Amino acid sequence: MQNLTVCKSNKVIEAGYRLSLNEQKIVLICIARHNPLNPLSASDRFDVSAREFSEITGIEVSHAYESLKDVADSLFNRYIIIDNPDKSQPKLRQIKTRWISSIGYMPDSGTISLRFAADMLPYLSELQSCFTKYELKNIGGMTSVYGVRLYELLSQYRTFGRREFTIAWLKSHFEIADAYKSITDFRKYVINQAVNNINTHSDMAVQQPIYVKTGRSVTGIVFDFKTRPKAPPVRAKKKAAAQPTATLSNLEHFAGLRKRFGDNAAIPPEIETQLKELGRW
């Protein structure tokens, strides 16, 4: 998998939006390909091929072609709601913008091509503070879009190893406020799947969430987590020197060496043992 790093403003991580799993991954791949310290123009184009998408996500190349076609049809209509936008728009408490300004699919090469919307650019480029970054490979294999979202939200708090949300805030920002009315369903289909994805595919280990009650109702959730230490690089083992095979021809050869050079002959220990058994030592 390519060694890419996602870096984006915390305002985007905490924004309200709903993308499908493949839409989310395409957006993150494109974000990871831009250096966040450099400016980003609305004319800058990002291409992702089916083969690259397969490599990053682990899905079959044949399925990647279909996935990119679907994303090309749906992503243009997706929007994001950003609270308290940047200083260039001080009077706005909230903005709603599309993620991208244009998108296309090239069937001959199996490649999707897109450009980010102008209002998204301040949150993806020239970032000096208030941003979060992580390696793309940590979400590449996830199968739950909520796993990706929760991983990003927890990544903001790596230093603390704990983050608490209200259930209402999570559902609102995941754009599922009207879904999973039962806390049992929300827990089963959103939280449990998200935590399992994070623990299975990422560098983060999340403990069993703690649910907080107000009266008889569950109103909050607490996550305790830690970053797993990176495994040391695996060093290639040195190959042991090949030892001579104890065939009849070899035995005769070493017997000849013993006869010719006596104690000065370099005879492997296992061959020496067999020569002694044969009375040739």
Side-chain angles (χ1 to χ4, degrees):
M1 184 181 294
Q2 301 177 50
N3 185 22
L4 296 172
T5 300
V6 177
C7 186
K8 55 184 177 178
S9 167
N10 287 335
K11 289 185 180 294
V12 173
I13 290 179
E14 296 189 346
Y17 64 87
R18 188 175 186 180
L19 298 175
S20 72
L21 185 62
N22 288 330
E23 290 168 348
Q24 177 85 296
K25 289 181 179 181
I26 287 293
V27 166
L28 293 176
I29 290 170
C30 294
I31 290 174
R33 286 186 171 165
H34 173 71
N35 185 334
L37 298 178
N38 296 337
L40 177 62
S41 167
S43 63
D44 289 338
R45 192 181 83 177
F46 297 87
D47 296 340
V48 181
S49 71
R51 190 165 299 278
E52 292 167 326
F53 190 68
S54 171
E55 177 189 350
I56 291 171
T57 63
I59 67 173
E60 295 291 335
V61 175
S62 58
H63 294 157
Y65 280 94
E66 294 301 320
S67 297
L68 294 191
K69 288 180 184 177
D70 291 342
V71 170
D73 290 337
S74 62
L75 183 55
F76 180 74
N77 293 317
R78 303 301 189 194
Y79 63 85
I80 177 173
I81 300 173
I82 301 174
D83 293 327
N84 303 311
D86 63 73
K87 295 178 181 179
S88 66
Q89 300 168 308
K91 295 183 179 180
L92 294 178
R93 294 182 57 190
Q94 192 179 80
I95 62 167
K96 181 178 181 179
T97 177
R98 295 181 190 270
W99 282 92
I100 60 174
S101 60
S102 65
I103 191 168
Y105 178 71
M106 296 170 275
D108 292 341
S109 60
T111 300
I112 199 170
S113 178
L114 63 83
R115 291 181 173 88
F116 284 106
D119 280 338
M120 286 298 300
L121 304 184
Y123 306 101
L124 306 177
S125 60
E126 300 182 271
L127 301 178
Q128 301 295 330
S129 61
C130 300
F131 61 84
T132 296
K133 64 179 182 179
Y134 59 88
E135 293 182 8
L136 182 65
K137 65 181 181 181
N138 287 314
I139 60 91
M142 290 190 182
T143 56
S144 165
V145 69
Y146 306 120
V148 178
R149 292 296 310 273
L150 182 60
Y151 176 81
E152 291 189 336
L153 289 167
L154 297 185
S155 292
Q156 292 179 290
Y157 280 60
R158 282 185 188 269
T159 303
F160 304 100
R162 167 174 279 219
R163 187 163 191 184
E164 182 174 356
F165 305 94
T166 65
I167 300 296
W169 189 93
L170 271 183
K171 293 181 71 175
S172 172
H173 286 70
F174 286 1
E175 291 281 311
I176 53 173
D178 296 325
Y180 308 110
K181 298 292 186 181
S182 162
I183 190 63
T184 300
D185 287 344
F186 179 71
R187 181 174 182 171
K188 179 179 179 180
Y189 297 110
V190 177
I191 300 302
N192 288 355
Q193 290 188 19
V195 170
N196 288 339
N197 263 232
I198 293 171
N199 287 337
T200 301
H201 299 287
S202 80
D203 61 342
M204 192 180 291
V206 183
Q207 296 180 20
Q208 188 68 25
I210 301 169
Y211 290 87
V212 180
K213 285 187 174 182
T214 301
R216 299 179 64 182
S217 301
V218 176
T219 56
I221 184 169
V222 180
F223 296 95
D224 289 306
F225 59 94
K226 63 181 179 180
T227 301
R228 295 189 183 98
K230 289 187 177 181
V234 178
R235 295 183 179 180
K237 294 182 179 180
K238 293 183 179 179
K239 292 184 178 180
Q243 296 295 330
T245 305
T247 63
L248 180 60
S249 59
N250 275 343
L251 290 173
E252 291 297 333
H253 169 69
F254 286 117
L257 291 177
R258 171 68 180 175
K259 183 177 180 181
R260 184 177 179 186
F261 297 105
D263 292 340
N264 293 324
I267 310 296
E270 62 274 17
I271 299 296
E272 177 184 328
T273 300
Q274 295 187 46
L275 287 175
K276 287 180 179 179
E277 292 175 352
L278 294 171
R280 306 294 297 276
W281 189 261

